[in-house]
């Protein structure tokens, strides 16, 4: 845990690269405090942290503070013809390390012809330490949405998420583009999404009345029977507006969230455009079930990455570090 020297080294390198001196000063100090916070927190309360990210606790934190947050926002210059996508990863306030890990995962991907915002979504904060730590994260990354709901109520977080979006991203006053996002996605925090594959699969699809994902039950290939798996599904903006306004979801909030979501669309006769992304989306191959598939190149998303080994094998398979630039500063054998 105290092996943070190499990462602090990267951190300095990045800082020196930054062309803007005042900017540099502005974030060095908060970042260092932030890292210290995480280290202290990790050592005090290890049990609360997910075993997934045992590796390089504080060094991961240090490394993430050094990458440009605009990468998480979007890796391409925005363009009116670009597809605009919001990926909301539903998680819990205390999952600090998971968020830092996912920022690395999404911040290092490249894609073109799209603007993708990855945001972490949770309900009201409940603890004093969260008010400081989450606020610091927001100051640094600005990629968190806190909904007006209570965590663990096990009903309606999905409803709150989708139905809040039209108001949260209402930019009709400042003349922003409409819709703010063509597509909004709900994803799990144990899902690995390959952004470029996602964008390419969406490019030919309608931008209205669309429901996209991995259809449940697993053997089914018919997107109208029954609903999309919670690993990650995506709807067009008009459906988020419909969820906000319609009486159908309001009358039917209880139950397994993703199944209930499918029920709303059926009851409301919505989503006449559907796209089943199976088998480009699938569960990690082990344990083998009817919902899995071996890793293969045409992948949009891999789900159930429940431990570090599964993440590492997946990231290795997809050659995510192949573009690591050469430098005298480090040596990592392939
Ligand atoms: C995200 O992008 C918007 C517009 O492109 C920009 O104003 C905002 O500062 C960016 N946020 C982060 C965290 O980079
Ligand atoms: C916007 O993107 C399209 C397709 O990717 C490209 O043909 C066009 O030249 C771009 N326009 C600008 C202003 O960058
Ligand atoms: C969430 O927090 C806001 C602001 O503090 C409060 O107004 C609201 O009642 C809370 N919602 C729930 C469901 O606890
Ligand atoms: C968006 O803002 C406009 C203008 O302030 C308002 O009329 C409209 O009701 C808002 N829509 C939502 C969904 O909040
Ligand atoms: C990863 O790289 C290896 C070696 O260059 C290549 O054979 C393989 O096809 C790549 N895998 C993917 C998923 O692109």
């Amino acid at each position: 845990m105290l092996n943070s020297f190499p990462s602090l080294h990267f951190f300095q390198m990045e800082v020196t690269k930054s062309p803007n001196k005042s900017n540099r000063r502005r974030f060095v100090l908060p970042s260092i405090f932030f890292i210290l916070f995480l280290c202290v927190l990790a050592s005090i309360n290890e049990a609360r942290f997910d075993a997934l990210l045992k590796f390089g606790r504080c060094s991961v934190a240090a490394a993430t503070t050094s990458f440009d947050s605009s990468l998480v926002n979007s890796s391409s210059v925005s363009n009116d013809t670009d597809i605009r996508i919001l990926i909301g990863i539903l998680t819990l306030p205390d999952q600090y390390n998971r968020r830092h890990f996912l920022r690395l995962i999404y911040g290092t991907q490249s894609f073109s012809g799209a603007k993708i915002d990855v945001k972490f979504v949770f309900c009201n904060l409940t603890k004093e330490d969260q008010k400081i730590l989450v606020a610091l994260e927001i100051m640094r990354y600005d990629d968190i949405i806190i909904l007006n709901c209570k965590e663990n109520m096990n009903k309606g977080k999905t409803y709150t998420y989708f139905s809040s979006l039209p108001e949260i991203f209402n930019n009709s006053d400042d003349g922003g583009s409409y819709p703010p996002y063509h597509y909004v996605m709900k994803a799990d925090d144990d899902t690995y999404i390959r952004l470029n594959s996602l964008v390419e699969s969406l490019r030919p699809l309608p931008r209205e009345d669309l429901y996209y994902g991995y259809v449940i039950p697993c053997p089914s290939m018919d997107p109208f029977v029954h609903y999309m798996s919670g690993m990650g599904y995506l709807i067009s903006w008009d459906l988020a507006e419909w969820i906000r306004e319609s009486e159908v979801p309001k009358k039917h909030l209880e139950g397994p969230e993703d199944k209930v979501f499918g029920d709303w669309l059926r009851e409301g006769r919505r989503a006449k455009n559907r796209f089943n992304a199976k088998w480009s989306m699938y569960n990690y191959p082990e344990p083998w079930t009817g919902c899995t598939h071996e890793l293969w190149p045409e992948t949009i998303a891999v789900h159930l990455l429940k431990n570090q080994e599964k993440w590492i094998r997946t990231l290795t398979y997809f050659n995510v570090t192949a573009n690591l630039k050469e430098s005298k500063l480090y040596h990592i054998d392939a």
Side-chain angles (χ1 to χ4, degrees):
M1 172 183 145
L2 289 173
N3 64 344
S4 50
F5 271 107
S7 333
L8 285 172
H9 190 68
F10 288 135
F11 174 58
Q12 280 164 351
M13 181 186 75
E14 284 296 324
V15 168
T16 357
K17 252 173 47 185
S18 163
N20 183 334
K21 283 190 177 153
S22 64
N23 235 359
R24 186 192 307 174
R25 249 179 259 127
R26 230 181 42 212
F27 86 87
V28 172
L29 218 63
S31 302
I32 289 172
F33 277 119
F34 188 44
I35 293 160
L36 286 176
F37 251 106
L38 285 167
C39 296
V40 169
L41 201 77
S43 54
I44 294 172
N45 208 346
E46 275 193 30
R48 264 198 354 227
F49 282 86
D50 209 15
L52 170 72
L53 294 166
K54 278 219 172 83
F55 68 106
R57 271 209 174 80
C58 295
S59 53
V60 168
T64 51
T65 52
S66 70
F67 77 73
D68 183 350
S69 61
S70 65
L71 284 172
V72 173
N73 209 338
S74 164
S75 78
S76 60
V77 179
S78 196
N79 177 327
D80 280 348
T81 61
D82 284 351
I83 308 181
R84 296 186 294 275
I85 306 169
L86 172 71
I87 300 179
I89 300 176
L90 270 58
T91 180
L92 297 171
D94 281 336
Q95 296 280 0
Y96 299 99
N97 273 355
R98 181 74 63 106
R99 285 197 290 282
H100 286 298
F101 178 68
L102 291 174
R103 284 184 184 113
L104 273 181
I105 295 299
Y106 292 113
T108 50
Q109 293 192 41
S110 59
F111 50 88
S112 59
K115 172 182 183 287
I116 302 182
D117 290 346
V118 177
K119 307 254 186 215
F120 300 98
V121 181
F122 37 81
C123 293
N124 276 7
L125 304 182
T126 52
K127 300 179 198 157
E128 287 305 308
D129 62 349
Q130 293 169 348
K131 291 179 186 167
I132 296 294
L133 295 173
V134 172
L136 281 170
E137 272 184 84
I138 293 171
M139 288 164 74
R140 178 63 184 90
Y141 300 108
D142 196 15
D143 61 358
I144 285 176
I145 297 176
I146 303 179
L147 301 170
N148 180 357
C149 54
K150 242 201 204 104
E151 220 59 79
N152 298 321
M153 64 184 178
N154 207 21
K155 57 176 185 192
K157 187 173 175 184
T158 302
Y159 173 77
T160 308
Y161 168 58
F162 284 114
S163 65
S164 301
L165 295 177
E167 192 190 342
I168 293 174
F169 295 101
N170 186 353
N171 57 15
S172 60
D173 286 339
D174 52 29
S177 35
Y178 181 87
Y181 297 101
H182 298 111
Y183 303 112
V184 290
M185 183 167 196
K186 173 197 161 180
D188 268 354
D189 63 2
D190 61 351
T191 301
Y192 171 54
I193 303 168
R194 297 177 75 224
L195 301 177
N196 195 46
S197 307
L198 175 70
V199 169
E200 291 311 315
S201 74
L202 286 169
R203 210 176 287 291
L205 299 182
R207 295 185 179 180
E208 265 150 34
D209 213 18
L210 179 80
Y211 183 31
Y212 169 115
Y214 172 101
V215 74
I216 297 285
C218 294
S220 167
M221 294 303 277
D222 177 356
F224 290 86
V225 183
H226 288 282
Y227 62 96
M228 302 303 180
S229 154
M231 70 169 73
Y233 55 87
L234 175 146
I235 56 174
S236 51
W237 183 260
D238 56 320
L239 286 182
E241 290 180 330
W242 176 77
I243 289 166
R244 178 184 182 82
E245 286 150 18
S246 169
E247 290 303 313
V248 172
K250 293 190 184 80
K251 283 188 286 194
H252 183 178
L253 289 177
E254 305 224 7
E257 305 224 348
D258 306 312
K259 177 174 180 303
V260 166
F261 189 95
D263 293 343
W264 301 337
L265 296 177
R266 190 170 51 252
E267 277 169 54
R269 299 177 183 284
R270 296 290 147 151
K272 66 174 183 301
N273 301 310
R274 299 195 181 199
F275 184 79
N276 177 19
K278 201 180 283 173
W279 291 98
S280 295
M281 295 173 80
Y282 47 88
N283 286 346
Y284 186 82
E286 289 158 21
W288 193 270
T289 68
C291 304
T292 64
H293 192 292
E294 71 269 25
L295 297 173
W296 67 355
E298 303 78 29
T299 295
I300 294 169
V302 185
H303 181 224
L304 292 185
L305 296 170
K306 292 285 185 200
N307 59 40
Q308 187 185 322
E309 188 205 335
K310 291 178 179 182
W311 271 106
I312 295 301
R313 279 177 56 188
T314 303
L315 298 173
T316 304
Y317 178 83
F318 291 109
N319 297 325
V320 298
T321 57
N323 291 329
L324 179 70
K325 67 172 195 273
E326 280 194 39
S327 168
K328 288 185 216 161
L329 289 168
Y330 46 75
H331 40 87
I332 301 178
D333 298 331

